[in-house]
Amino acid sequence: MKRKPRLGQNFLVDDTARHAIADALGDLGNRTVIEIGPGHGSITEILAGRCRRLIALELDPALAAELSFHFRNQPHVEIIETDVLKADLRSLLCAGETADAIGNLPYYITSDILLKLFAAGRDGTIARSVLMMQREVADRVSAAPGIRDYGLLSATAQMNAQVEHLFTLPPSAFSPPPEVYSTVLRLHFAPRFAELGVDAVGFDVFLKQIFAQKRKTLQNNLRAAGYSVEQLAGTWPASIPPQARAESLSLESMAELYRALPPLQIP
Ligand code: SAM
């Protein structure tokens, strides 16, 4: 079968690692699992023996056909040939059903998959995820405020989920080996919007505004977004230094600032 590098096809060949990834979801006896990019089925095979229902989403028609044939006698395993970014995850489940998501992700769309899973966490479709991604991206997702890697992806992820760093694998764990190291994260979706008194849609936009230019101060980024000097001066919380950058702020402080500022008038 011809490998398609543009689909991020670096297959996991480390036996210990594929078991560790499946193990990270714990007891699956009563769970539905959605696997993103099953490939040749290295993780799928383990999950199929453990979970109540398994739905695997694979874009490559040849791989989807291979897996459909392999699992033809296991009706609790559904192989769907689709682009995960176009799939309506909610509609894959029955009413009231929640799922866990797992995947050695196609790295070229990691951020888009994460954003999709955050939304699915918010509407109760997905409860937990175990995801392998490029190490640098995982470092950004799990970074704490004030450290170099902290940015928009960190704040967005941590507004939506508790993030656990599990382990990192070298390129030799894959065939063909990618040029990067890979890290597995576990995410428990637990949106913090209500707790922090902010609305999800508006706060997502606000995060993009305050992180628009990482080297700029919060105030300069907010000025670029459309706030006047007077608006900022009149509402700026005393607890946030006027020269602070977004990367130094906790989520609590970002939410305090968002609540204090008047809504921007979009022309
Ligand atoms: N899970 C397998 C493993 O660990 O060996 C394969 C992982 S490989 C890194 C990524 C897989 O995602 C490939 O099988 C690729 O064809 C598939 N893929 C790429 N883009 C996709 C998309 N948009 N939707 C669903 N699957 C996709």
Side-chain angles (χ1 to χ4, degrees):
M1 185 179 295
K2 197 163 166 20
R3 186 184 150 259
K4 303 186 179 80
R6 71 183 168 81
L7 293 186
Q9 293 182 347
N10 299 95
F11 300 105
L12 186 60
V13 291
D14 182 316
D15 195 48
T16 308
R18 71 191 186 101
H19 280 89
I21 291 171
D23 290 349
L25 278 180
D27 179 5
L28 293 172
N30 265 323
R31 299 293 299 160
T32 296
V33 176
I34 297 177
E35 186 183 1
I36 299 166
H40 290 293
S42 65
I43 305 167
T44 326
E45 186 71 52
I46 304 167
L47 296 170
R50 295 185 183 178
C51 60
R52 189 184 65 83
R53 183 178 178 208
L54 176 59
I55 304 166
L57 310 177
E58 174 56 59
L59 181 59
D60 183 333
L63 290 174
E66 174 192 312
L67 288 178
S68 295
F69 182 75
H70 183 81
F71 290 105
R72 66 194 178 286
N73 295 323
Q74 299 191 55
H76 71 296
V77 180
E78 297 155 61
I79 310 296
I80 302 178
E81 183 195 318
T82 187
D83 179 344
V84 63
L85 297 180
K86 295 192 180 139
D88 176 355
L89 300 182
R90 180 71 254 164
S91 73
L92 298 173
L93 306 180
C94 305
E97 188 178 15
T98 63
D100 296 326
I102 196 166
N104 168 15
L105 298 182
Y107 293 173
Y108 73 105
I109 46 171
T110 299
S111 298
D112 289 336
I113 293 174
L114 285 170
L115 293 179
K116 183 166 185 125
L117 292 176
F118 297 153
R122 298 211 283 257
D123 73 16
T125 302
I126 303 289
R128 301 175 304 161
S129 281
V130 170
L131 304 171
M132 173 131 61
M133 62 195 74
Q134 185 175 335
R135 177 171 64 182
E136 289 74 12
V137 179
D139 287 347
R140 288 198 280 129
V141 171
S142 57
I147 74 163
R148 190 177 50 89
D149 286 324
Y150 192 76
L152 176 61
L153 187 59
S154 330
T156 305
Q158 294 164 33
M159 276 305 289
N160 287 282
Q162 292 163 15
V163 180
E164 280 177 89
H165 185 290
L166 298 185
F167 54 88
T168 293
L169 293 173
S172 58
F174 304 85
S175 174
E179 285 170 6
V180 294
Y181 276 64
S182 301
T183 293
V184 178
L185 297 180
R186 179 164 50 206
L187 284 78
H188 288 259
F189 294 101
R192 299 192 62 196
F193 299 93
E195 172 208 337
L196 296 180
V198 297
D199 66 290
V201 175
F203 196 67
D204 275 352
V205 173
F206 177 71
L207 290 180
K208 290 193 186 94
Q209 291 168 343
I210 63 175
F211 281 107
Q213 296 226 25
K214 240 192 137 187
R215 300 315 310 153
K216 281 192 175 177
T217 63
L218 278 167
Q219 292 208 353
N220 282 340
N221 274 326
L222 288 168
R223 291 268 294 117
Y227 285 100
S228 67
V229 174
E230 295 73 31
Q231 279 176 318
L232 296 177
T235 51
W236 200 259
S239 59
I240 301 176
Q243 292 307 315
R245 292 192 168 88
E247 67 201 46
S248 68
L249 247 52
S250 65
L251 293 175
E252 287 78 2
S253 295
M254 289 180 202
E256 183 187 357
L257 179 57
Y258 176 73
R259 292 194 309 268
L261 291 173
L264 266 185
Q265 301 302 324
I266 311 290

